[in-house]
Amino acid sequence: MTADQSLIEYYVGDNSIFLFLVQKNNFEIHEIRRDFSLEVWENRMNREGIYGFYNASLEDRSRQLENETVCNYTEAAELLFQKLIGPVKDKLTHQLIIIPDGVLGYIPFEALLSKEVPSFGAFQSYPFLLKKHQISYCYTATLLDRMKRKKHQQVPSKTVLAMAPFSRKELLREESNVTNE
């Protein structure tokens, strides 16, 4: 680990979530009581939040549904931040490596909100975790260590950015295929 990296690994148990913070000169374990429904909050952030409006059929999309999904996302993203990042928020460095466990693997940590939103629905003003930290993910600390130790046979000569974009046309085509089946 470099001085600018923080590794956060989670273990999700029945009654607690354990947060392991690993830094160059620091190691901490925090117990987060599961006095909340993690699965419900994850669902509110994702399916009933981030994806709720755009996964709805075109006929079901309304201003009311959009407001409900933004509200669901905003509330859940604030609560999840407080529970999952809050115990160590003041100790984190710029680079975060997150190793989620269980349902935490469905949470886009970069979209968590570090405080109350200043203007509801004005996403550019939202305090996303990504605005303060560079975030990456790994499956296990062991795998991360192996990847760092692996020597390349040839040094990569180019960089690449790979994405899986979709267009409105593709969404309409998929909806059309579903209704025709």
Side-chain angles (χ1 to χ4, degrees), residues 6 8 10 19 45 73 77-78 80-98 107-115 117 123 125-137:
S6 296
I8 301 175
Y10 294 95
L19 180 160
M45 181 175 175
Y73 157 70
E78 288 174 5
L80 285 165
F81 175 87
Q82 290 305 316
K83 285 289 188 179
L84 301 175
I85 302 293
V88 295
K89 68 181 180 185
D90 295 329
K91 299 175 183 179
L92 298 178
T93 56
H94 178 67
Q95 294 181 20
L96 299 183
I97 302 166
I98 297 175
I107 294 175
F109 281 78
E110 51 278 328
L112 294 181
L113 300 173
S114 60
K115 58 185 174 186
V117 298
F123 295 111
S125 69
Y126 274 31
F128 297 110
L129 186 60
L130 184 62
K131 287 186 175 181
K132 289 188 176 182
H133 301 282
Q134 176 186 333
I135 299 172
S136 59
Y137 297 89

Side-chain angles (χ1 to χ4, degrees), residues 5-37:
Q5 291 180 320
S6 296
L7 182 139
I8 301 175
E9 184 164 359
Y10 294 95
Y11 171 77
V12 178
D14 292 334
N15 299 315
S16 298
I17 299 169
F18 292 93
L19 180 160
F20 302 89
L21 174 64
V22 181
Q23 296 169 315
K24 184 170 181 144
N25 296 312
N26 185 36
F27 174 75
E28 300 177 15
I29 301 173
H30 295 266
E31 180 179 9
I32 302 165
R33 302 292 312 154
R34 282 195 65 180
D35 54 359
F36 63 101
S37 178

Side-chain angles (χ1 to χ4, degrees), residues 52-53 55-66 175:
F53 180 77
N55 283 345
S57 66
L58 293 176
E59 302 84 45
D60 292 336
R61 292 183 191 173
S62 65
R63 175 64 69 194
Q64 180 181 348
L65 179 62
E66 184 176 25
E175 286 183 11

